[in-house]
Amino acid sequence: MAASNVKVLGAWPSPYTMRVRIALNLKNVDYEYLERNPERGPPELSELIHKTNPVHKMVPVLIHNNKPICESLIIVQYIDEAFTSGPSILPSDPYDRSVARFWGAYIDDKVRNDTSYEEAFEKISKGKDFFGGDTIGYIDIAFGTNLAWVRVFEKLNLVKLLDETKTPNLYAWSKKFCSVPAVKAGIFPETDKLLEFVKTLIAKYDGLLHHRENV
Amino acid sequence: MAASNVKVLGAWPSPYTMRVRIALNLKNVDYEYLERNPERGPPELSELIHKTNPVHKMVPVLIHNNKPICESLIIVQYIDEAFTSGPSILPSDPYDRSVARFWGAYIDDKVRNDTSYEEAFEKISKGKDFFGGDTIGYIDIAFGTNLAWVRVFEKLNLVKLLDETKTPNLYAWSKKFCSVPAVKAGIFPETDKLLEFVKTLIAKYDGLLHHRENV
């Protein structure tokens, strides 16, 4: 497909941006990718983000045929409905689709404040390779894009989730998820690169705190 | 349609329950309605709610062919996809559908903490009778089911939103919404009945506070 009619405004550390890019890869859709830098620039891109997502002013934004779509899981659903050039991301059965949407909402609402990943995986996956069954789907995309951050939090000794012995199913799923070509395609950041980014954030935040104290 | 294969577990003051019942009415689907009482009983129903919505343990729950679906806007989408016996609730175009989903999420996330209803209506409705166009749709259902509570808050002098002079479009929409047969069908509570319910809640909460103070 021509790249010109599909654009993604995003940021590489953002799990939400990753969701959109993985979904487009799964559908074999070429797209132009515009990366916001850590200083929330360049200014032209910042303007474009404000113009296309005036309510939240955040990435990711998908622009398809000059129409903007916002909110990562809504974008993933849009990609699934608008492009038939690849496997389905949501199940075809309305009930199964409602289950996928339920867990998608649950992941954004709860899982990030929760450490019961393994329990959730056991409940949802029912022994399959992926949450949605034998191939990558909506819940995997919603859930799996947090893995890069999980690994960074593990390196910082804040959590321990992906343990081959204690949580073998979740561990196996994380390996499978990251080996899917649509995910591997330069989207999923190296743990060390993301760790450096997080350290910069922490340093910046520390600086801000001290600056405030000195005012 | 036979009532036996569709059940709604709900509570009459709940805007979320109203959404589900309005969607079923729009689709002309008969259903069995099981009402949770203010004491969160009867016990059999409470058990059924815990069994069918083990994650959130809340109403509404839709049970269709013995399968439970949870989260009101996910249920409304399910009803739209599973029953073709009435008008579409979401638009048929994927882009328009993504816009409806965006505002649905926005309503649940933001609007209840915000008073910019009129501004939102102007932006979304584009001069039509309903948010979705000429007939009631997904955004109307998501948004309009808060109206009963808005009226109660107005009676309690907490807000003033529905003003014929200051917010004529929103006012006209609220009248139109409540006159739709699917909404009128005993679902939308009388303001005075809901006001009594809210007063009981306030009294109970006051009682709890005093009880705590006396401990």
Side-chain angles (χ1 to χ4, degrees), chain B residues 1 20 25 34 55-57 65 84 119 126 138 163 166 169 185 188 197 208:
Chain B
M1 290 212 178
V20 173
N25 281 353
L34 302 171
V55 174
H56 302 300
K57 300 176 183 67
N65 295 330
T84 51
E119 203 191 320
K126 296 175 186 163
Y138 185 75
D163 189 299
K166 284 190 195 151
N169 294 319
F188 205 80
F197 173 78
L208 273 176

Side-chain angles (χ1 to χ4, degrees), chain A residues 53 55-56 64 67-71 74 77-78 81-82 93-99 101-103 105-106 109-110 123, chain B residues 53 55-56 64 67-71 74 77-78 81-82 93-99 101-103 105-106 109-110 123:
Chain A
N53 189 359
V55 174
H56 301 300
H64 183 207
K67 288 176 174 172
I69 300 116
C70 306
E71 299 279 297
I74 292 173
Q77 290 181 71
Y78 173 79
E81 295 174 0
D93 175 71
Y95 178 76
D96 295 340
R97 208 147 54 225
S98 79
V99 172
R101 286 188 184 123
F102 177 87
W103 289 114
Y106 179 80
D109 192 35
K110 296 266 164 59
K123 254 191 229 160
Chain B
N53 189 359
V55 174
H56 302 300
H64 183 207
K67 289 176 173 173
I69 301 117
C70 306
E71 299 279 296
I74 291 172
Q77 291 181 71
Y78 173 80
E81 295 174 359
D93 175 72
Y95 178 75
D96 295 339
R97 209 150 52 227
S98 80
V99 172
R101 287 188 184 122
F102 177 86
W103 289 114
Y106 180 79
D109 191 36
K110 296 268 163 59
K123 251 190 230 161

Side-chain angles (χ1 to χ4, degrees), chain A residues 4-10 20 34 45-72 74-79 82-83, chain B residues 93-103 126:
Chain A
S4 58
N5 68 342
V6 182
K7 282 191 181 115
V8 174
L9 321 184
V20 173
L34 301 171
L45 180 58
S46 178
E47 259 177 55
L48 187 58
I49 293 164
H50 282 235
K51 198 182 133 200
T52 52
N53 189 359
V55 174
H56 301 300
K57 301 177 181 67
M58 293 191 311
V59 294
V61 180
L62 177 78
I63 306 177
H64 183 207
N65 294 330
N66 297 316
K67 288 176 174 172
I69 300 116
C70 306
E71 299 279 297
S72 67
I74 292 173
I75 299 174
V76 171
Q77 290 181 71
Y78 173 79
I79 290 169
F83 300 100
Chain B
D93 175 72
Y95 178 75
D96 295 339
R97 209 150 52 227
S98 80
V99 172
R101 287 188 184 122
F102 177 86
W103 289 114
K126 296 175 186 163

Side-chain angles (χ1 to χ4, degrees), chain B residues 118 161-164 167-176:
Chain B
E118 178 71 2
L161 288 174
L162 302 171
D163 189 299
E164 198 164 1
T167 57
N169 294 319
L170 192 67
Y171 185 83
W173 167 77
S174 73
K175 292 278 173 199
K176 278 232 185 283

Side-chain angles (χ1 to χ4, degrees), chain B residues 33-106:
Chain B
Y33 178 57
L34 302 171
E35 169 81 21
R36 194 189 67 189
N37 67 35
E39 284 72 40
R40 307 202 159 239
E44 318 83 72
L45 181 56
S46 179
E47 258 177 55
L48 189 57
I49 293 164
H50 281 235
K51 199 183 132 195
T52 52
N53 189 359
V55 174
H56 302 300
K57 300 176 183 67
M58 294 192 309
V59 293
V61 179
L62 178 77
I63 305 177
H64 183 207
N65 295 330
N66 297 316
K67 289 176 173 173
I69 301 117
C70 306
E71 299 279 296
S72 66
L73 290 182
I74 291 172
I75 298 173
V76 171
Q77 291 181 71
Y78 173 80
I79 291 169
D80 199 33
E81 295 174 359
F83 299 101
T84 51
S85 44
S88 288
I89 295 171
L90 278 102
S92 60
D93 175 72
Y95 178 75
D96 295 339
R97 209 150 52 227
S98 80
V99 172
R101 287 188 184 122
F102 177 86
W103 289 114
Y106 180 79

Side-chain angles (χ1 to χ4, degrees), chain A residues 95-205:
Chain A
Y95 178 76
D96 295 340
R97 208 147 54 225
S98 79
V99 172
R101 286 188 184 123
F102 177 87
W103 289 114
Y106 179 80
I107 287 159
D108 277 1
D109 192 35
K110 296 266 164 59
V111 165
R112 280 171 306 159
N113 310 313
D114 197 343
T115 52
S116 55
Y117 278 73
E118 178 71 2
E119 203 191 322
F121 182 76
E122 284 304 327
K123 254 191 229 160
I124 312 168
S125 69
K126 296 175 187 162
K128 301 277 182 119
D129 276 359
F130 290 98
F131 281 97
D134 296 325
T135 54
I136 188 170
Y138 186 74
I139 307 176
D140 300 290
I141 295 173
F143 202 28
T145 40
N146 292 314
L147 281 173
W149 284 83
V150 167
R151 286 184 184 159
V152 166
F153 292 150
E154 290 196 337
K155 281 230 173 183
L156 294 166
N157 289 318
L158 297 170
V159 288
K160 181 68 191 154
L161 289 175
L162 302 171
D163 189 298
E164 198 165 0
T165 317
K166 284 190 197 152
T167 58
N169 294 318
L170 192 67
Y171 185 83
W173 167 77
S174 74
K175 291 277 170 198
K176 278 233 185 284
F177 178 81
C178 293
S179 71
V180 171
V183 176
K184 273 171 77 184
I187 290 171
F188 204 81
E190 298 288 330
T191 308
D192 285 342
K193 188 184 169 195
L194 188 59
L195 180 62
E196 281 314 305
F197 174 77
V198 171
K199 282 182 180 166
T200 321
L201 279 189
I202 293 169
K204 207 185 271 178
Y205 184 70

